[in-house]
Amino acid sequence: MNAIVEQPQSNNLRARRMALDTHDQPVILTRRDCPVCRSEGFSAHARVRVQNGSRRIIATLYQIDADWLAPGEAGLSESAWHRLQIAEGDEVHLSHPQPLNSLSLVRGRIWGRRFTRQALNDIMTDVAAGRYADIHIAMLLTVMATGGLDEGEVIALTDAMIRAGDTLNWGREPIADKHCVGGLPGNRTTPLVVAIIAACGLWMPKTSSRAITSPAGTADTMETLAPVDLDTNAMRRVVEREGGCIVWGGAVRLSPVDDMLIRVARVMDLDAEAQLVASVLSKKIAAGSSHLVLDLPVGPTAKIRERTEAEELGLRLKSVAEHFGLATRVLITDGRAPVGRGIGPALEARDIISVLGRHADAPTDLRERALVLSAELLELTGAARPGEGRAQAEQTLDSGAAASKFEAICVAQGGLRQPPVARRRYLILAKRRGRVLSIDNRRLGRVAKLAGAPGAPAAGVELHCTLGDSIEREQPLYTIHAETTGELNYAREFAFSNGDIIDIAEPD
Amino acid sequence: MNAIVEQPQSNNLRARRMALDTHDQPVILTRRDCPVCRSEGFSAHARVRVQNGSRRIIATLYQIDADWLAPGEAGLSESAWHRLQIAEGDEVHLSHPQPLNSLSLVRGRIWGRRFTRQALNDIMTDVAAGRYADIHIAMLLTVMATGGLDEGEVIALTDAMIRAGDTLNWGREPIADKHCVGGLPGNRTTPLVVAIIAACGLWMPKTSSRAITSPAGTADTMETLAPVDLDTNAMRRVVEREGGCIVWGGAVRLSPVDDMLIRVARVMDLDAEAQLVASVLSKKIAAGSSHLVLDLPVGPTAKIRERTEAEELGLRLKSVAEHFGLATRVLITDGRAPVGRGIGPALEARDIISVLGRHADAPTDLRERALVLSAELLELTGAARPGEGRAQAEQTLDSGAAASKFEAICVAQGGLRQPPVARRRYLILAKRRGRVLSIDNRRLGRVAKLAGAPGAPAAGVELHCTLGDSIEREQPLYTIHAETTGELNYAREFAFSNGDIIDIAEPD
């Protein structure tokens, strides 16, 4: 009774570039009546393997019952097009993806089984290869957030994330690094610290992230001042010349899984400890860092709300970091209010420039934090003796050495830029006089995001007051910056219905 | 300094039907240079609100830099098109969606806060309105699976799922219902039980699901015998005429959220207890059922592996059901092997027809299970006295009354159909002689799914042996049925590399 099993016919289709931006999700469009789909039994929204020579991706398949695509054509989204490195008219081969076995390990964690080292390696390998759909990544992130991973799992996760990407080896020590566990709008110390440390003669090849849920990440801010999409070789050239750089981590393929997780975490608006620890440290370790200072701001509306929580997270970070031989110092800092004046990429960039330029109106809190972190890093690496880091950092900043170094780094990264200025603004005024009691980091960040940050780099919030200030009625509290009327309106409406973002106590 | 805030220009675009099947995910395509997108600052892959008169949906926005769409056009996927009930050339209005506030309640559950009744209502309202992207639903499902919900939460979830859809009121009692907690391939008793119970004069308006992770759901199987996409009015007409029906729950909008969750759960390959309980019971309660018999098969490769687990789940189901006034009886049954011969919609339909027709080769295990469940239901509703249900059920089946009733129901639902027959088959033979020790439900289900079930209704597996059978070498174990060569090959390869799906012990 066994029929001779026919060999499937050539599963090839002609690639057509649809100029379709689906963000990072690779999409392939085919006619429902195309012979390949019929013979393979692909149904719409299935995941299919698409191959071009030795390059292959897993893409989401959408099917069409219309003539804007020919039966022999495969329409590819931009993300699919670039990953396959294809040319118009090339053929792509379609097939069913292998079963996603590592997903059962994620499900197993839901039912309470711990992740083994091998499990996390398998999962991260599949994520890195693009085999996980967004739904699967969302499941993985939620699993990692719920109940948390134990230290062994976090170490294994960090290791798996490092292995799924490239690593850098600078052939020397120390390699200085810093990181701030986000949640504090405007706290853009990294470019300042890199400038100071590199000006002191240490190497600080910094890779930074884009925003996860905040209005700006360091990479977003830095991008308004200089190119940040440098590959490994370009980054190495900058560091060898200037001793420092501030580039986007994703472009150098250090822990590339991290960026894939971050993209989905952003939609979920979720930050989880295990992912946070592995995300921070995998990037640092893959980047070849030997000495790390961590800034953990604490405040009622910061990411970390309680000092005890910061202490625990700090211990976890330090412990995992030192497992990998990364010397680490943790600073718990004041996170009650935004730092500097700007919130949003370009507005934060302006603060940086004014601190480096020692302008009279430069934000003192941002300057202070940069000095504290630089001092710790100088002492941790042994570049300064205990107690002498502060003076060295201050001298480097005040002499203009840090400013010159920053400019040189920007030039080496591809040229110093002028941060853009938003086309539309709206000023939010105090509704009564009194003293500034509190500033809600989260809701102020939301205003900046509604105004378009970080997608629109010039958008965001410019603060005109800080904690403890005495305010008159109708005095400016902050300015909303936006590129479009629609976004300005959304931010404005949110600001109006949240009049207590800046909480002003009645005068006695 | 405040500029006059410009009113956004008309955010309207001309709707164009793209005949694009993105499954249930609404997608809208626009030119990146269209004025609406520029003025509103929509970025690719953003979620946007699309409005047509009083109808509005949240859709995923993909942007195009090419001429296959005009700047004033909005290309809509089929799912978006149908939900907006739009006509070609109509205008749609685009805007930013409201912030998804209920998502913070889902995140709160990750951090250990319990769900309140209000929280679950808010979440389910947003899910029902299509405000949750697949990523958000994946997060919700994972949260509900991890650690489980407590009974108060499950009751609140069930209630919220009922409220998010329509409810039926039959104006009489009892209304009989049954449910099997899946995982047992081929266990297609529902159509048999409905036929027997309705033939006994009781009302049994059955709504069933499509497959979540299995090769066939009751709705998939029934659809090969009669239409199942009946709306509420059509369903009511069938039940008023025949006393019973077997329709797809999604078409009658009973607990519509359930189907949205199931679509994502299927991609995740995840079944979670809280979702299971709420899913099962919200459908039953919304359907107006008063008496419910639950079949919980237990076996090493069934969904429920341990008897104690079944007992706990049974108690949870009974307790939540009775909170809503639904009288419930739980049967824990043998789930060590598939039931009947067919696995896959059409193959299971054939088993049903042969049991109803009292064919000599009708599968006795399927018949036996249908009789046991019918007997319990007759006794639970009081239609039979304790101990007399079995005889009544048997008499109804053996007299042909159940067969006539089933035919009448099919005709009332729109006409009895002949189940399709697959175009390709492949026979798997025993590699040695011996006795059938075990049959792996899961991997056999996987063979059926790789062969194309349930998407291809004729596809699946036809079993030629059962537990305890004595088998000769080269004796047929099962036949793979498929519609396409590609699928047949995938199923065959999996069967070859899993030669122990049917485990044959060496003879003594």
Side-chain angles (χ1 to χ4, degrees):
Chain A
M1 125 171 203
N2 280 350
I4 292 157
V5 177
E6 296 163 23
Q7 280 310 304
Q9 300 179 339
S10 158
N11 281 6
N12 286 7
L13 290 171
R14 225 169 32 254
R16 182 172 148 198
R17 185 170 187 172
M18 303 305 288
L20 174 67
D21 181 357
T22 55
H23 257 207
D24 281 343
Q25 195 176 9
V27 167
I28 179 168
L29 304 167
T30 65
R31 285 274 290 257
R32 194 189 303 278
D33 56 2
C34 89
V36 174
C37 298
R38 291 167 57 94
S39 79
E40 288 290 314
F42 295 131
S43 59
H45 210 262
R47 310 266 295 160
V48 293
R49 183 159 63 178
V50 187
Q51 201 160 347
N52 172 39
S54 66
R55 301 221 144 227
R56 56 186 179 206
I57 58 167
I58 310 286
T60 298
L61 174 68
Y62 291 148
Q63 293 193 311
I64 295 162
D65 294 292
D67 289 332
W68 50 277
L69 203 68
E73 282 182 335
L76 295 177
S77 69
E78 288 299 284
S79 46
W81 192 266
H82 293 304
R83 289 193 209 178
L84 286 168
Q85 299 188 348
I86 209 165
E88 192 78 47
D90 275 5
E91 296 218 316
V92 287
H93 178 86
L94 268 61
S95 58
H96 287 272
Q98 295 295 309
L100 193 52
N101 290 324
S102 73
L103 203 61
S104 67
L105 304 167
V106 179
R107 278 193 302 272
R109 190 62 175 70
I110 292 179
W111 314 134
R113 286 194 285 283
R114 312 304 295 183
F115 282 131
T116 62
R117 183 167 285 270
Q118 185 60 49
L120 286 163
N121 269 330
D122 291 352
I123 293 167
M124 290 304 142
T125 302
D126 281 341
V127 174
R131 294 186 196 111
Y132 272 48
D134 286 356
I135 284 175
H136 302 135
I137 293 179
M139 174 159 88
L140 173 64
L141 289 171
T142 310
V143 161
M144 295 199 305
T146 316
L149 304 188
D150 66 28
E151 184 152 314
E153 288 175 311
V154 178
I155 289 171
L157 175 63
T158 307
D159 193 53
M161 287 173 72
I162 296 167
R163 283 166 192 272
D166 297 337
T167 51
L168 298 177
N169 185 342
W170 298 99
R172 57 181 278 173
E173 269 204 18
I175 297 297
D177 210 341
K178 71 151 290 261
H179 187 83
C180 173
V181 173
L184 203 51
N187 189 21
R188 204 54 60 207
T189 52
T190 293
L192 297 169
V193 175
V194 170
I196 294 169
I197 296 297
C200 290
L202 288 171
W203 273 23
M204 187 160 184
K206 190 80 188 72
T207 59
S208 296
S209 309
R210 300 193 184 276
I212 303 182
T213 59
S214 70
T218 295
D220 300 312
T221 296
M222 189 64 194
E223 198 167 35
T224 70
L225 292 165
V228 295
D229 282 11
L230 278 65
D231 65 17
T232 311
N233 289 334
M235 177 186 175
R236 193 175 282 278
R237 278 194 300 273
V238 173
V239 175
E240 278 167 3
R241 197 162 94 192
E242 300 299 341
C245 70
I246 304 114
V247 303
W248 174 50
V252 290
R253 256 193 69 82
L254 302 176
S255 190
V257 164
D258 183 41
D259 297 289
M260 305 170 84
L261 300 184
I262 281 175
R263 185 175 57 80
V264 175
R266 188 194 294 225
V267 179
M268 297 163 75
D269 213 349
L270 181 74
D271 286 307
E273 187 191 277
Q275 187 213 333
L276 186 154
V277 171
S279 159
V280 169
L281 297 179
S282 65
K283 282 263 159 74
K284 310 297 165 214
I285 297 158
S289 304
S290 64
H291 292 77
L292 172 67
V293 169
L294 286 164
D295 175 9
L296 271 49
V298 177
T301 57
K303 175 184 288 199
I304 308 172
R305 302 184 193 213
E306 303 288 344
R307 202 183 160 84
T308 52
E309 197 189 327
E311 284 163 357
E312 275 169 36
L313 177 62
L315 285 174
R316 170 64 68 92
L317 280 160
K318 195 170 155 67
S319 164
V320 174
E322 292 181 347
H323 176 90
F324 289 92
L326 176 59
T328 301
R329 193 169 291 182
V330 176
L331 295 182
I332 296 177
T333 61
D334 181 358
R336 287 176 302 151
V339 178
R341 301 214 174 80
I343 301 172
L347 294 165
E348 294 173 14
R350 286 202 230 164
D351 283 350
I352 289 164
I353 296 302
S354 81
V355 169
L356 286 170
R358 291 142 290 148
H359 300 169
D361 63 345
T364 50
D365 55 350
L366 180 62
R367 172 188 154 94
E368 179 57 28
R369 296 177 80 101
L371 288 173
V372 168
L373 292 167
S374 300
E376 290 288 344
L377 207 38
L378 289 170
E379 294 180 15
L380 178 65
T381 54
R385 272 182 296 191
E388 293 178 8
R390 170 74 190 212
Q392 191 179 336
E394 221 169 290
Q395 204 271 331
T396 309
L397 186 58
D398 291 340
S399 67
S404 307
K405 179 51 78 178
F406 185 76
E407 221 179 289
I409 289 171
C410 288
V411 169
Q413 287 189 195
L416 183 66
R417 295 168 177 169
Q418 197 65 29
V421 175
R423 281 183 291 178
R424 304 188 195 285
R425 290 174 207 195
Y426 191 87
L427 195 55
I428 300 290
L429 306 175
K431 280 180 289 187
R432 61 171 175 222
R433 60 184 292 261
R435 207 169 49 80
V436 176
L437 257 192
S438 69
I439 300 179
D440 188 320
N441 292 316
R442 282 161 198 261
R443 285 186 293 161
L444 205 57
R446 180 95 163 257
V447 174
K449 287 200 288 181
L450 286 169
V461 163
E462 184 186 355
L463 264 177
H464 305 302
C465 63
T466 188
L467 282 186
D469 280 3
S470 282
I471 299 286
E472 293 303 312
R473 193 165 175 280
E474 302 279 293
Q475 185 176 327
L477 294 178
Y478 58 94
T479 302
I480 303 171
H481 294 239
E483 291 286 17
T484 71
T485 312
E487 287 163 315
L488 191 66
N489 283 339
Y490 288 113
R492 219 167 54 115
E493 277 168 28
F494 185 82
F496 285 161
S497 56
N498 288 270
D500 59 340
I501 289 179
I502 295 186
D503 199 16
I504 298 172
E506 301 276 6
D508 306 322
Chain B
M1 132 173 197
N2 279 349
I4 292 158
V5 176
E6 294 163 25
Q7 281 310 305
Q9 302 180 336
S10 158
N11 282 6
N12 287 7
L13 290 171
R14 224 166 36 253
R16 182 170 149 199
R17 185 170 187 172
M18 303 304 289
L20 174 66
D21 181 357
T22 54
H23 256 206
D24 282 342
Q25 195 176 8
V27 166
I28 179 167
L29 305 168
T30 65
R31 285 274 290 258
R32 192 189 302 278
D33 56 4
C34 89
V36 175
C37 297
R38 291 169 57 96
S39 80
E40 289 289 316
F42 295 132
S43 59
H45 210 262
R47 308 267 295 161
V48 293
R49 184 159 63 178
V50 187
Q51 202 161 346
N52 171 40
S54 66
R55 301 220 145 229
R56 56 182 180 211
I57 58 167
I58 311 286
T60 298
L61 174 69
Y62 291 149
Q63 294 193 310
I64 295 162
D65 295 292
D67 288 333
W68 51 277
L69 202 67
E73 282 182 335
L76 296 176
S77 70
E78 289 299 285
S79 46
W81 191 265
H82 293 304
R83 288 193 210 178
L84 287 169
Q85 299 190 347
I86 210 164
E88 192 78 48
D90 276 4
E91 295 218 316
V92 288
H93 178 86
L94 267 61
S95 58
H96 286 272
Q98 295 294 310
L100 193 53
N101 290 324
S102 73
L103 202 62
S104 67
L105 304 167
V106 179
R107 278 193 301 271
R109 190 64 174 74
I110 292 179
W111 314 134
R113 287 195 284 282
R114 312 303 296 183
F115 282 132
T116 62
R117 183 168 286 271
Q118 186 60 49
L120 286 163
N121 269 330
D122 291 351
I123 293 166
M124 290 303 144
T125 303
D126 281 342
V127 174
R131 292 187 198 111
Y132 272 48
D134 287 356
I135 283 174
H136 302 136
I137 293 179
M139 172 159 88
L140 173 64
L141 289 172
T142 310
V143 161
M144 297 199 305
T146 315
L149 303 187
D150 66 28
E151 184 151 316
E153 289 175 309
V154 178
I155 289 171
L157 174 63
T158 307
D159 194 52
M161 286 173 73
I162 296 167
R163 284 165 192 272
D166 297 336
T167 51
L168 298 176
N169 184 342
W170 298 97
R172 58 180 279 174
E173 271 205 16
I175 297 296
D177 210 341
K178 73 151 287 266
H179 187 84
C180 173
V181 174
L184 203 52
N187 188 20
R188 204 54 61 207
T189 53
T190 293
L192 297 167
V193 175
V194 169
I196 293 168
I197 296 297
C200 290
L202 288 170
W203 273 23
M204 188 159 184
K206 192 80 189 70
T207 58
S208 296
S209 310
R210 299 194 184 274
I212 303 182
T213 57
S214 70
T218 295
D220 301 313
T221 297
M222 188 64 194
E223 198 167 34
T224 69
L225 293 164
V228 295
D229 282 10
L230 278 66
D231 65 16
T232 312
N233 288 334
M235 176 186 177
R236 194 175 283 279
R237 279 194 298 273
V238 173
V239 176
E240 276 165 5
R241 197 161 95 194
E242 300 299 342
C245 70
I246 305 113
V247 302
W248 176 51
V252 291
R253 256 193 68 82
L254 303 176
S255 189
V257 164
D258 183 42
D259 298 290
M260 305 170 84
L261 300 184
I262 281 174
R263 186 175 55 81
V264 176
R266 189 196 292 225
V267 178
M268 298 163 73
D269 212 348
L270 181 73
D271 287 304
E273 187 191 276
Q275 186 214 335
L276 186 154
V277 171
S279 159
V280 169
L281 297 179
S282 65
K283 282 264 159 72
K284 311 294 166 213
I285 296 157
S289 304
S290 65
H291 292 76
L292 173 66
V293 168
L294 286 165
D295 176 9
L296 271 50
V298 177
T301 57
K303 174 185 290 199
I304 309 172
R305 302 184 193 213
E306 303 289 342
R307 200 181 163 87
T308 53
E309 195 190 330
E311 283 164 357
E312 275 168 36
L313 177 61
L315 285 174
R316 170 63 68 92
L317 279 160
K318 193 170 157 71
S319 165
V320 173
E322 292 182 347
H323 176 90
F324 289 92
L326 176 60
T328 300
R329 193 169 290 182
V330 175
L331 295 182
I332 297 177
T333 62
D334 180 358
R336 288 176 302 152
V339 178
R341 300 213 176 80
I343 301 171
L347 294 165
E348 295 174 14
R350 284 201 230 164
D351 282 350
I352 290 164
I353 295 302
S354 83
V355 169
L356 285 169
R358 292 140 292 149
H359 301 169
D361 62 347
T364 51
D365 54 350
L366 180 62
R367 171 187 154 94
E368 179 57 28
R369 295 177 81 100
L371 288 173
V372 168
L373 292 167
S374 300
E376 289 288 343
L377 207 38
L378 289 169
E379 294 180 16
L380 178 66
T381 54
R385 274 183 296 192
E388 294 179 7
R390 168 73 191 214
Q392 191 180 334
E394 220 169 294
Q395 204 271 330
T396 310
L397 186 58
D398 290 341
S399 68
S404 307
K405 177 53 77 179
F406 185 77
E407 221 178 289
I409 289 171
C410 288
V411 169
Q413 287 189 197
L416 183 66
R417 295 168 175 168
Q418 197 65 31
V421 176
R423 282 183 291 176
R424 307 190 192 283
R425 291 175 205 193
Y426 191 88
L427 195 55
I428 300 291
L429 305 176
K431 282 181 288 188
R432 61 170 176 221
R433 62 186 292 261
R435 206 168 51 81
V436 176
L437 256 192
S438 70
I439 300 179
D440 188 320
N441 292 315
R442 285 162 196 258
R443 284 186 293 162
L444 205 57
R446 180 93 165 260
V447 174
K449 287 200 288 181
L450 286 170
V461 162
E462 184 186 356
L463 263 177
H464 305 302
C465 64
T466 189
L467 283 187
D469 280 4
S470 281
I471 299 287
E472 293 302 312
R473 194 164 174 282
E474 301 277 294
Q475 186 175 325
L477 295 178
Y478 59 95
T479 303
I480 302 171
H481 294 238
E483 291 285 18
T484 71
T485 312
E487 288 163 314
L488 190 66
N489 282 341
Y490 288 114
R492 219 168 53 116
E493 277 169 29
F494 185 82
F496 285 160
S497 56
N498 288 270
D500 59 340
I501 290 180
I502 296 184
D503 198 18
I504 298 171
E506 301 275 5
D508 306 321

